[in-house]
Amino acid sequence: MNNGETRPRPAAPPADGLAPERFPHTWRAPGAPRRTVAVGPVTVGGARVVVAAGPCAVEPNGSLAATAERVRAAGAALLRGGAYKPRTSPYDFQGLGEEGLRLLAAAREATGLPVVTEVLDPRDVPAVAAVADLLQIGSRSVQNFPLLREAGQSGRPLLIKRGMMTTLAEWLGAAEYALAAGAPGVILCERGIRTFEAATRNTLDLSAVVLLRRICRWPVLVDPSHASGRAALVPDLAAAAVAAGADGLLVEVHVDPAAAWSDGRQTIDTDTFARLVPRCRAVARAVGREL
Ligand code: PEP
Ligand code: MN
């Protein structure tokens, strides 16, 4: 019966915001292929699970070079390290900036590992993109739309970390901004969300990883370091992420975590990393992948 309305109303969007037509660059229809992303010579999203490893922040004391060499030897495919750090307090170490970028370039030269590093400020995109093989958009920047557009135009693929309060629809929206601006590819990185639980820094949302692999065409990584905030939990969470189907890991590793300039509590040492890799490899094989 017509209740006095003369025009048909458009269908209400789904409560979770995941309406496929809103995600032309990211949505994957059932049965459609998934995409891979080239990061330098490394393929992300293929049969091989990739591990990005390195310190939270690039430091001026040789720790980056030493860490890079050891994670490469242990099986890392990419080197991570922040030159521009998003810190909660303006009085904390903000990263080495351009000097950090030079150290990252030198570490890539020495190890051959492609570099993933964060860009925080749209004005820094050209300088960071000149060094980064993969531009990281941090959790706190996931809805910085001018930054996503600028980074999307840099010619580099983007690693977009999930915000600590970001829904999947908002996260995919961020990826749409980058891809609509021309990004050659995006990789999503689950790094834990804020919940009522205080025993861990964040709560690792593996459901998001499993769901994204079904509905999104781009690769998904997991960062067990920021997800837990505790070094002791990182190896098991890394293994769980691979079991859940993650295309790779982003792990904070330092030759001397106790001396790290940031995030030392959640950073594993290089020996622990060297044990984490074969364990994750065994899990990868169990789920039909390589590492
Ligand atoms: C980082 O990767 O060092 C980082 C700052 O992560 P997030 O943006 O996830 O907090
Ligand atoms: Mn960190």
Side-chain angles (χ1 to χ4, degrees):
M1 188 181 122
N2 182 330
N3 294 320
E5 291 185 20
T6 52
R7 278 179 300 170
R9 275 184 294 171
D16 60 11
L18 292 172
E21 66 275 12
R22 293 182 59 79
F23 304 100
H25 295 95
T26 51
W27 197 267
R28 186 171 76 86
R34 300 183 74 232
R35 297 284 305 264
T36 60
V37 174
V39 179
V42 173
T43 300
V44 181
R48 186 168 289 272
V49 172
V50 300
V51 182
C56 178
V58 180
E59 301 163 8
N61 49 20
S63 64
L64 177 72
T67 303
E69 182 46 43
R70 293 199 203 169
V71 297
R72 185 204 59 74
L78 304 172
L79 176 65
R80 67 145 287 149
Y84 295 90
K85 295 305 301 177
R87 302 307 298 276
T88 301
S89 168
Y91 313 116
D92 289 340
F93 175 55
Q94 303 287 305
L96 293 180
E98 287 178 14
E99 173 59 11
L101 295 177
R102 279 191 285 278
L103 290 168
L104 283 165
R108 174 180 44 212
E109 188 70 27
T111 60
L113 295 178
V115 162
V116 49
T117 195
E118 178 162 352
V119 60
L120 259 176
D121 187 321
R123 293 168 295 190
D124 294 331
V125 166
V128 180
V131 167
D133 296 284
L134 179 62
L135 273 182
Q136 180 169 326
I137 303 295
S139 291
R140 293 153 191 82
S141 302
V142 68
Q143 290 193 305
N144 182 338
F145 304 119
L147 176 64
L148 289 163
R149 278 205 197 91
E150 198 70 30
Q153 289 167 13
S154 70
R156 300 292 188 195
L158 266 54
L159 178 83
I160 304 180
K161 299 194 84 175
R162 185 182 189 177
M164 52 196 88
M165 293 174 287
T166 306
T167 65
L168 293 198
E170 290 164 343
W171 193 10
L172 288 180
E176 290 285 337
Y177 267 91
L179 291 160
V186 298
I187 301 167
L188 299 169
C189 182
E190 160 64 32
R191 46 78 75 205
I193 52 175
R194 207 168 256 191
T195 68
F196 57 83
E197 183 53 72
T200 46
R201 183 177 179 183
N202 292 289
T203 297
L204 178 57
D205 184 8
L206 286 181
S207 304
V209 177
V210 176
L211 181 54
L212 280 178
R213 280 192 47 103
R214 297 173 75 105
I215 65 171
C216 176
R217 68 186 78 148
W218 299 100
V220 185
L221 262 50
V222 166
D223 169 354
S225 309
H226 291 86
S228 66
R230 294 173 176 232
L233 306 190
V234 166
D236 285 350
L237 291 177
V242 175
D247 296 296
L249 302 166
L250 183 77
V251 187
E252 287 187 336
V253 184
H254 191 289
V255 280
D256 184 3
W261 287 27
S262 66
D263 282 348
R265 272 162 41 89
Q266 67 193 37
T267 299
I268 58 174
D269 62 29
T270 51
D271 289 343
T272 304
F273 181 73
R275 291 190 296 273
L276 176 153
V277 172
R279 199 152 159 264
C280 286
R281 181 174 295 133
V283 176
R285 288 189 177 143
V287 296
R289 303 185 79 170
E290 287 298 318
L291 191 165

